[in-house]
Amino acid sequence: EAQVTQNPRYLITVTGKKLTVTCSQNMNHEYMSWYRQDPGLGLRQIYYSMNVEVTDKGDVPEGYKVSRKEKRNFPLILESPSPNQTSLYFCASSFSPSSGKNTGELFFGEGSRLTVL
Amino acid sequence: LAKTTQPISMDSYEGQEVNITCSHNNIATNDYITWYQQFPSQGPRFIIQGYKTKVTNEVASLFIPADRKSSTLSLPRVSLSDTAVYYCLVGLSGNTPLVFGKGTRLSVIA
């Protein structure tokens, strides 16, 4: 089954304790991205990657890191989490336009709810 | 980056047609317009995409005027299960940072 898988789905942690949220897709997509969703603010893009070893900042990258060492994986790293990073996080992927397979559809994971105390 | 503006919320009765309009004044030439639906605690789900004029699929229609500065998602005969948040997205998936707006919360009433 084609899917985007995020882990963990739920996490409660404390300020300053490094954590990683993993994202994996099995559709051979070039493009992957991370979003955070907060009440009243909609979805805001944190980072995106157009292909392996290529990453760029989105709208709200402060406090986050990403890496794209493999095509299927795009982990989100919070080196020193703070309470303002309490949010619902979504990973998404798609084909790139140059692949000839792009339908415009972003495939989203089920979300990771993070609470930083 | 193309910003979008949508109504914050809309209400509708079951069986009615619902039209949600999105403004995107600074849309770029190679940008597409895509709409997503999101239920609580789930990831957004693709509904429809278009570039110009009209696009129709099994769940919705998308109307885009010639100047492409706005678009309208049309949901025919909504049901209670269409209660969700709808996002208009302008860009080219897989090629640029993609900016979601704040979405429109549609409430369908029996």
Side-chain angles (χ1 to χ4, degrees):
Chain A
E1 179 189 353
Q3 59 186 4
V4 178
T5 304
Q6 298 178 222
N7 279 297
R9 295 287 313 281
Y10 302 91
L11 179 64
I12 300 175
T13 189
V14 295
T15 299
K17 185 176 182 181
K18 180 180 178 180
L19 68 92
T20 298
V21 185
T22 64
C23 174
S24 181
Q25 50 93 6
N26 62 359
M27 294 169 279
N28 203 32
H29 287 163
E30 295 84 11
Y31 181 94
M32 297 186 74
S33 61
W34 276 102
Y35 293 84
R36 62 176 290 173
Q37 186 169 40
D38 303 288
L41 297 178
L43 283 155
R44 295 181 293 168
Q45 192 174 50
I46 303 171
Y47 270 94
Y48 65 100
S49 169
M50 293 190 202
N51 215 324
V52 176
E53 301 292 0
V54 180
T55 62
D56 282 290
K57 296 178 180 179
D59 283 341
V60 289
E62 296 77 21
Y64 304 95
K65 286 174 58 178
V66 293
S67 69
R68 187 87 184 275
K69 292 182 170 53
E70 305 168 285
K71 196 172 188 179
R72 64 182 292 130
N73 296 321
F74 190 45
L76 179 69
I77 304 157
L78 286 72
E79 293 272 3
S80 183
S82 62
N84 64 12
Q85 292 178 297
T86 293
S87 186
L88 178 59
Y89 292 86
F90 289 101
C91 179
S93 70
S94 76
F95 288 113
S96 72
S98 60
S99 72
K101 304 173 190 175
N102 184 281
T103 61
E105 181 174 357
L106 266 177
F107 293 82
F108 282 83
E110 289 301 307
S112 296
R113 186 169 294 279
L114 171 65
T115 300
V116 184
L117 302 175
Chain B
L1 298 175
K3 298 290 186 182
T4 59
T5 303
Q6 305 173 230
I8 294 173
S9 64
M10 297 180 68
D11 295 330
S12 176
Y13 288 102
E14 274 192 298
Q16 289 189 328
E17 178 184 76
V18 170
N19 295 309
I20 306 174
T21 297
C22 178
S23 297
H24 27 80
N25 290 322
N26 59 340
I27 187 170
T29 302
N30 61 351
D31 282 342
Y32 280 73
I33 299 155
T34 314
W35 285 81
Y36 287 81
Q37 176 191 55
Q38 186 181 26
F39 297 112
S41 299
Q42 293 186 23
R45 187 179 67 176
F46 175 90
I47 301 174
I48 196 167
Q49 183 186 68
Y51 184 80
K52 61 181 179 181
T53 63
K54 177 183 175 182
V55 179
T56 297
N57 61 22
E58 62 276 8
V59 298
S61 294
L62 179 59
F63 299 91
I64 304 167
D67 66 8
R68 304 199 330 120
K69 294 187 176 185
S70 67
S71 58
T72 299
L73 174 72
S74 180
L75 304 172
R77 298 179 299 282
V78 293
S79 64
L80 295 176
S81 62
D82 292 316
T83 293
V85 178
Y86 292 82
Y87 291 94
C88 163
L89 180 65
V90 173
L92 186 59
S93 171
N95 197 38
T96 58
L98 294 174
V99 180
F100 282 79
K102 297 181 180 180
T104 297
R105 184 173 301 277
L106 173 64
S107 298
V108 180
I109 308 162

